[in-house]
Structure formats: structure tokens, C-alpha cells
Amino acid sequence: MVLRPPATLDLPAAAALWRPMLGAVAERRVTIDASGVTKLDSAGAVLLLEAAGGSELRPPQDAKAAATLERMRLALAAAPPPKPALQPHWVSRIGMAVLNGIGGLGRRVSFLGEVTLGTLAMLARPWRMRRVEVLRHLAEAGTAAFGLCALLGTLFGVILAFQSSIPMRQYGAEIFIPNLVGISLLRELGGLMAAIILAGRSGSAYAAELATMKVNDEIDALATMGVDPLAWLVLPRILATILVMPVLALVVTLSGLVGMGFVMATLGYPPPAVLSQLRQYLQVGDMVGGLFKAACFGLAIGLIGCRSGLKAGGGPRAVGDAATGAVVASIVATVVLDGIFAVLFFRLGW
Amino acid sequence: MAEAASIIQAEGIGIRFGSRSIFNDVSFEVRRGEIFVILGGSGCGKSTLLKILIGLLPPTSGRALVLGEELARLRGQKRRDALARIGVMWQQGALLGSLNLMQNVALPMEQHTQLPPAARDALARAKLGLVGLGDAATRLPAEISGGMLKRAGIARAMALDPEILFLDEPSAGLDPITSAGLDALIMTLSRETGTTFVVVTHELQSILAIGDRCIMLDKEAGGMIATGKPKELRDHSDNPTVRAFFRREVMRA
């Protein structure tokens, strides 16, 4: 059987003929007679060559079309189809995952060690800390986040109070809503909410900023100038997150209590009654424990954000990947830390 | 021999950003099949002129006709059809980092043609083979060198057999050997495919090696200061800036 493509075998014609022509050559042995082709572009040439495979191909008589066919033949010969990537055996995949996990853990511990050593060195010579940078990060991570924390804290307090009022009303126990909301916010939720806000706002920003600097070789430039990137870039950020987190947690907690007070007022309980309940039930230790946890969350978020940025790879996706990784890891670390603290405080009888 | 028909006409093009004028009254023609070079020192507006030609930036004055159309004014299907007839290689390759080289080259085919996926892959491989990257089809842009990025950028720009290829600083940042290899590739493609090349560059060796004709822009003059064949400009230009540029001399104030 002889297949004779049309005289004009350009891109639209190749698109239309691709499936029928390759289907025909797959079914039986054919000869492709392209001697009548006078207009051939690269798509048409690739179609002829792919269809020819092991079949006979009579080239175009037109000199220009023949030259195009020959050029594309050489180009295709230089570009063999890529071999499908071999999937490793599932046992190997598990092994690689375990090794990667151990390696990743090792690198995290190593980074923590570097930061600890850097902090000790900084404590020995505190004048080397860039106070301007610390103040800038305090303002960006803290002051600029106050409004958002106050808004979300208030709404959170309103939601908590409303939701808990529904079952408590059945037992006439609405007066205990301040106890429930107050202890939740002070010991757990204030710090958690603030941590999520800090991770989303500042942790991602740290990762993106440092990853951009890494991609632009700014980190290497600092190192070659004899400036320790850890002291210059990482410690001010971590110090800022540690200092700012308890304040943000306090803002979320107080705003939440205000929101709860508003709901209680709508339920007929005046502010003095609510305050009296809070004073009777809450202790200074609850607040101190909550704020201590918040500072630890701040340390984790600062560490994770900076490490995500500094370990960023190359290419345009590096910055986005670093920011995403920082937010996800920060939130996971915060919840894990909170769980550890819950067990620890329970054991300590706090 | 009769001169080839012009494929690009720039008529009195000027551009300003706010109160800052980049250049004024730039006029030239590009003939079908030639390698036309836009040259000049840093900051003279070469890349801005390229963006005007390909329709990304409307000029403040004058007009640029590419294949008979003002690309900046075209909309909808007419614009898509016109864009399918040109290809652009950006200074850093501008390949999409999440796609491998073959997928990058196949992207314009996916947008502009009805080719089935297997056909797109085969054609993309062939285009990569044309620029000497046949064995790198499955590699990501982050995994290849600067010279390979530029070659892959050319392969993507050639995906649809465009009538005009615009190249922005193809030799910038490359070592002399890689740069010479890229020049040779441009000349081979020009000779074999008949594609018209518009090359923006300030690399002297490239200009002299590949350019059929050129224009020179100058920041101080605020526009075009010379037009002609590169070697003639080098040897016979009366303009001191042109002479200094070609002889790599420092201009005295």
C-alpha cells in the first residue's frame, strides 16, 4: 500500500493527518510517497519521519521540501525519545524515605546547633547584634500584626462564647462561659492563634526573603565579606519572633475575652459579673504558662522560617517552595509543641 | 539581485516613561530572511525597542509594523494568530521552571495547534535536536547551563516555525566559545530555514559575525545614530560614538 500525503504538508495538515497516518502504518506495511510534497514545514517533516518508522519513505522532489525533511531527520536522530524513568522497588522507596527523613532530621538538629552557637557568641559580644534589624523585625512581625490579632481574637471569643452557650444554657450554666473561654484562650488558643498568624505573616516572609537572597547569591556575598549570615540575618529574626509572640498571644487572648464579654452582655450578664467569674477561676500561672508556650512557638516559627529560606534550592520555584514549606512546617511544629507542653504541664500538675 | 521584501517597518518610533524619554524617531526596515541586529550600549533602549516590536509595549509616538500588523493594537484571535508567526528568545531563556525542556518547547504547540500530544512531543524533540539539546529533553531548566538555557529558549521560540525570530541578548553572560557556538547556530538556522532574525545585542563579536544589517541606538543622542552593514559601520562610520563602539574605545567628554 502506498500513502501519498498532500502537496502542502504544513502544521495544520500535519495535525489533521497525524492520527490517521500513524494508524494506517501501524496496521500494515506501507510505502510513504512524499515525492509530490512541495510545501513542507517542520511539523509535516516530523509526521513523515514518525510515520515512516521502518517503512519506505520516498522523499519530496522539491529541493526545499527535501532539505527540510533531511534537516528534521538529523534533528530527530539527535533527539531519541526519552526513556521512561525507572520506578524503584517499593522496598527501596521506603528505605530512601527513611534515609531522607534521618538526613533531614540531622540537618535540622545541625541548624539548631548553629543557631545555639551563634546565640552564645552573640551573648558574649552583644554589641555585634544589629539592633536596627531587630527593631525592624519587631515592628513587622509584631506592631503590624496587632490589628489582625485583635480582630481575629475578638471574633474567636465571640464564636467560642456563642457555641458554648448553646449546651450550657440547657443546664443553666451560662455564667460559667467566661471560665471555659477564659481558660481556653489563656492556656491554649491565644498562643495557637497568634502562632498561626505569625507563621502565615512572618514565617513565610522570612523564608521568601532569605530564599530570594540565596537565589541571588546575597548570602554567599555576605559570607565572602566575612559577615556571618547567621548573626546578620537569622538571629535578629528569631529574637524578634521570640519577643513578639507572647505579646501577640496576649493581644489575641484579651481581644477574645472582650468578644466573649460582648456575647455575655447579650445573654444578660453585665461585665462586672463576667470579670468576677474570670477573677475567681483564672490564675496568674495560666497566663504565664500560655505566654511561655507562645515564646517557644515563636522560637520554632523563627527557626523554621529562616531555615526554609536558607536551604532553598535554585530556580524560580525555590522562593515559593520555601515560603509554603515554612508555613506548613511552622503550623505542624506549633501543634506538636502544644501537645508536648500539654503532657508536660499535666505531669507537672500545672 | 533584487532586495527582499521588508517584513518589519519601524516608522518614527519614540518611547518615554513619564518625563524620561528613552529614544525618539527610530525608523528602519527589516528584510525577509536577513539577520538584523539592534545594537548599542547599556541603557540605550535596545530591549525596550524589542518589546515595542513584539507588541508588549505601545510606543509613545510612531508605529511598528511586524508582518504588516501593529502587534500592540491587535486583540483576540487576530493577536494570537500574529503571535504564532513570531518567536521570541528572552535574555535568560525565560523557560518555565516547573516544565522540562521538551514540555517548554511543546507549550506554544499546545496553545496554537491541534497537534496530538505524541506529535507535540516528537516535534519538540526535533526542535531540541536542531539546537543541539536532543539528549536534554527531560531535564529541567534549573539543571542546565546558561548556554543550554539560551539554546532551549531558541528551540521554544522556533516551535511553530515562525517567520521572524527575535533574540534578546543571545550572547550575554556566555563564554566566548559558547557564544560563538550560538552565533553559528543562528547563522545555520537562518540559512537553512530562511527565518528572519532580529537580534538585540551589544556583543561586538556577535554583531560582526552574524549581522547582515544593523541599527545603532545611543543613549546620549536619544535615538538611532547609525544604520548599515556592521563591517561598513566599523570601517567607515564618521560618527565618533559608532567608531568608539566598534573599536572598544573610551569616549572622551
Side-chain angles (χ1 to χ4, degrees):
Chain A
M1 183 184 168
V2 178
L3 280 180
R4 287 192 180 83
T8 297
L9 193 54
D10 56 5
L11 202 149
L17 286 173
W18 191 275
R19 286 199 174 99
M21 209 155 154
L22 263 67
V25 297
E27 284 171 11
R28 68 191 84 173
R29 188 167 179 79
V30 296
T31 298
I32 299 170
D33 180 6
S35 57
V37 174
T38 52
K39 190 178 175 194
L40 186 70
D41 67 7
S42 59
V46 169
L47 167 62
L48 289 178
L49 293 163
E50 289 285 298
S55 313
E56 185 190 346
L57 172 63
R58 291 178 196 151
Q61 289 182 347
D62 180 88
K64 201 175 167 192
T68 303
L69 185 67
E70 179 59 13
R71 187 171 61 249
M72 297 315 288
R73 189 186 66 74
L74 292 173
L76 266 182
K83 291 175 187 148
L86 285 176
Q87 284 293 325
H89 192 266
W90 64 271
V91 177
S92 305
R93 287 210 296 273
I94 292 174
M96 283 190 282
V98 170
L99 285 177
N100 282 340
I102 292 170
L105 190 66
R107 286 190 291 275
R108 282 176 179 82
V109 172
S110 162
F111 183 68
L112 191 61
E114 283 175 40
V115 171
T116 309
L117 286 177
T119 308
L120 292 175
M122 192 61 71
L123 287 175
R125 281 170 289 185
W127 59 89
R128 291 184 65 182
M129 171 71 85
R130 298 186 71 221
R131 263 170 288 178
V132 177
E133 278 292 290
V134 178
L135 289 174
R136 176 170 79 89
H137 291 301
L138 279 174
E140 285 176 3
T143 317
F146 280 178
L148 185 64
C149 286
L151 175 71
L152 292 182
T154 309
L155 292 173
F156 206 55
V158 167
I159 294 163
L160 272 179
F162 258 127
Q163 291 299 331
S164 49
S165 73
I166 298 166
M168 291 179 97
R169 182 180 292 167
Q170 293 173 8
Y171 303 102
E174 287 160 308
I175 189 61
F176 297 113
I177 291 175
N179 305 25
L180 178 71
V181 175
I183 197 75
S184 305
L185 283 171
L186 227 59
R187 294 190 74 141
E188 295 290 339
L189 298 177
L192 270 178
M193 282 283 291
I196 290 167
I197 293 169
L198 190 76
R201 282 188 79 255
S202 304
S204 60
Y206 292 169
E209 193 178 349
L210 295 181
T212 307
M213 292 178 79
K214 177 99 187 292
V215 169
N216 293 336
D217 295 333
E218 291 172 42
I219 309 272
D220 291 342
L222 280 176
T224 52
M225 286 188 285
V227 178
D228 180 10
L230 203 73
W232 189 268
L233 300 169
V234 176
L235 293 183
R237 286 172 168 80
I238 292 178
L239 186 61
T241 52
I242 293 173
L243 292 177
V244 92
M245 256 303 288
V247 183
L248 292 183
L250 203 60
V251 171
V252 172
T253 302
L254 293 177
S255 312
L257 292 178
V258 169
M260 177 269 295
F262 175 75
V263 174
M264 290 303 287
T266 62
L267 294 174
Y269 295 92
V274 174
L275 280 174
S276 164
Q277 278 299 115
L278 289 173
R279 265 200 299 271
Q280 280 175 31
Y281 189 68
L282 299 180
Q283 295 171 357
V284 175
D286 296 325
M287 192 173 76
V288 172
L291 297 185
F292 172 73
K293 281 201 302 186
C296 294
F297 296 161
L299 171 65
I301 292 166
L303 278 171
I304 290 168
C306 292
R307 188 181 169 276
S308 293
L310 291 178
K311 78 169 178 62
R317 289 178 62 177
V319 177
D321 288 347
T324 307
V327 174
V328 172
S330 295
I331 291 173
V332 171
T334 302
V335 175
V336 169
L337 273 178
D338 199 36
I340 293 170
F341 277 123
V343 175
L344 206 63
F345 286 177
F346 178 75
R347 290 284 177 196
L348 292 172
W350 201 356
Chain B
M1 196 174 80
E3 280 188 355
S6 79
I7 195 166
I8 297 174
Q9 295 99 31
E11 298 170 356
I13 295 177
I15 182 93
R16 58 171 54 245
F17 296 113
S19 59
R20 193 165 63 94
S21 174
I22 307 298
F23 53 74
N24 267 311
D25 199 24
V26 172
S27 300
F28 59 89
E29 278 189 353
V30 179
R31 297 170 197 148
R32 191 176 281 278
E34 73 176 345
I35 301 178
F36 188 85
V37 181
I38 299 170
L39 61 97
S42 300
C44 67
K46 302 186 296 292
S47 295
T48 305
L49 178 57
L50 183 81
K51 285 186 178 174
I52 291 172
L53 293 177
I54 61 179
L56 285 184
L57 202 59
T60 314
S61 58
R63 63 178 190 161
L65 293 172
V66 174
L67 296 162
E69 303 275 9
E70 269 189 275
L71 295 183
R73 291 182 184 278
L74 294 181
R75 296 288 178 270
Q77 190 57 43
K78 277 191 87 174
R79 181 176 168 78
R80 283 192 288 278
D81 290 344
L83 290 178
R85 296 172 67 192
I86 66 166
V88 184
M89 190 218 81
W90 299 96
Q91 194 168 344
Q92 305 297 334
L95 301 176
L96 302 187
S98 56
L99 305 179
N100 66 31
L101 299 193
M102 191 168 72
Q103 291 164 332
N104 262 291
V105 177
L107 193 63
M109 303 171 199
E110 203 176 313
Q111 291 300 308
H112 290 282
T113 75
Q114 303 293 318
L115 286 171
R120 294 199 297 262
D121 287 353
L123 190 52
R125 277 194 292 113
K127 298 287 178 180
L128 286 168
L130 273 181
V131 298
L133 291 176
D135 54 353
T138 54
R139 289 166 77 177
L140 291 170
E143 298 168 349
I144 60 175
S145 68
M148 291 168 82
L149 274 177
K150 301 217 178 202
R151 283 171 177 268
I154 292 178
R156 186 177 66 179
M158 288 172 27
L160 300 173
D161 288 350
E163 292 169 57
I164 309 171
L165 261 181
F166 294 91
L167 311 182
D168 189 10
E169 304 276 11
S171 313
L174 299 181
D175 66 84
I177 296 171
T178 310
S179 177
L182 208 61
D183 289 343
L185 173 69
I186 292 167
M187 285 191 286
T188 306
L189 292 173
S190 166
R191 189 176 59 245
E192 291 187 353
T193 63
T195 309
T196 306
F197 280 81
V198 176
V199 184
V200 167
T201 185
H202 57 232
E203 299 284 334
L204 213 46
Q205 295 296 330
S206 284
I207 295 163
L208 294 170
I210 65 174
D212 291 322
R213 290 192 311 122
C214 66
I215 59 163
M216 181 167 175
L217 301 181
D218 182 51
K219 192 176 176 181
E220 299 301 319
M224 201 170 97
I225 55 169
T227 179
K229 295 183 177 176
K231 284 175 187 156
E232 285 177 7
L233 288 184
R234 179 192 63 184
D235 298 336
H236 305 299
S237 176
D238 297 332
N239 188 307
T241 309
V242 177
R243 280 205 311 270
F245 183 88
F246 277 100
R247 293 171 192 173
R248 301 172 68 100
E249 289 170 352
V250 178
M251 288 284 288
R252 292 180 207 289

